Amino acid sequence: MSGKDIPTDPEELRADVEQTRRELGDTVEALVHKTDVPGRVKDKAHEGVEQVKETATRANAAVSAAAGKTTAKVSQAADKAGEQVGKAGAAAGAAGAAVGEKAAVIGEKAGAVATQVGQKATEVAGQVGTKAGEVAEQVSLKAGVVAEQVGTKAAQAVEALPPPVQQRVEQARKHPAAVAAGVAAVVLVLWKLLRRGR
C-alpha cells in the first residue's frame, strides 16, 4: 500500500482495519482446516463405517424376509401333507402304504426345500460378507486418497508461504503443541498492529 492509498478519514481507517481483520480470520481458519488431516480422515472413515452398517442392515433384512417366506411355504406344505395323510388313513387301511409313500416324497421335498433355504442363507451371508469387505476396502482406499490429497494441499499451501513462515510451519509439525502457541502469538501480534494503526 503506498502513501497515497492510506485513508485519512477515521471511519475509512476503521473500515479498512475491520476488513483486514476479517480477511486474516478467514486465512487463519482456512490454514487450521487444512492442517486438520486426522479430523478429516476420521470423518471419511466414519462415513464408510455408516455405509457398511447400512449395507449389513439391508442384507440382514433381506435374509430375514427370505427365511420367513420359505418357512411359511414349508409350513404350508407340511400342513397339506398332514391333511392328505389324515384323509388317506380315514379312507382305508390299504391306502396307508400309498399315503406313507406320498408322505416320504413330501418329506424329501420338505428336506430339499430346507436344504435350499440353508444354501440360500449361506449364499446371502457370503454375499453380505463380501460386500462388507468391499465397502471396507473402498473406505480404506478413499481415506488413503483423501489423506494423500490433504497432505499434498497442505504441502502446496506451505510452499506458497514466505520462507520464514515455511520454517515456522515445519517447526510446528515437529512440535504440535507449539502450533497453538504460534497461532496465538500471530493473532496477538496482528491484534497489536491493528490497535496501533488506530
Side-chain angles (χ1 to χ4, degrees):
M1 188 179 265
S2 68
K4 293 178 183 177
D5 294 339
I6 297 175
T8 55
D9 179 32
E11 288 302 318
E12 288 182 27
L13 281 171
R14 283 189 190 99
D16 190 37
V17 167
E18 277 304 313
Q19 182 180 356
T20 304
R21 282 183 182 164
R22 282 192 300 273
E23 290 172 358
L24 177 62
D26 292 344
T27 302
V28 169
E29 188 177 322
L31 285 173
V32 167
H33 180 69
K34 284 184 178 182
T35 58
D36 186 20
V37 173
R40 290 167 75 182
V41 169
K42 183 178 177 183
D43 290 344
K44 286 292 183 182
H46 180 70
E47 290 174 15
V49 168
E50 291 302 318
Q51 288 177 352
V52 169
K53 285 180 181 178
E54 273 184 46
T55 302
T57 301
R58 281 193 228 119
N60 190 20
V63 168
S64 296
K69 287 178 183 178
T70 304
T71 302
K73 287 181 181 179
V74 169
S75 177
Q76 288 175 352
D79 289 346
K80 286 181 182 180
E83 288 175 15
Q84 290 177 357
V85 169
K87 287 178 183 178
V99 170
E101 289 177 15
K102 285 186 178 182
V105 169
I106 290 171
E108 287 177 13
K109 286 183 179 178
V113 168
T115 301
Q116 288 175 352
V117 168
Q119 289 172 348
K120 191 67 174 176
T122 302
E123 184 181 318
V124 170
Q127 290 172 352
V128 168
T130 302
K131 187 67 175 174
E134 290 172 1
V135 170
E137 185 177 344
Q138 289 174 358
V139 167
S140 176
L141 290 173
K142 285 181 183 178
V145 169
V146 168
E148 186 177 331
Q149 290 173 349
V150 168
T152 302
K153 292 286 185 186
Q156 289 171 351
V158 170
E159 288 175 10
L161 296 172
V165 177
Q166 287 180 4
Q167 292 172 353
R168 296 285 179 155
V169 170
E170 288 301 322
Q171 290 173 353
R173 283 184 182 168
K174 293 177 185 173
H175 305 285
V179 171
V183 169
V186 168
V187 170
L188 180 63
V189 169
L190 292 172
W191 179 76
K192 285 185 177 183
L193 289 174
L194 292 173
R195 297 254 323 159
R196 195 179 295 163
R198 288 185 176 182

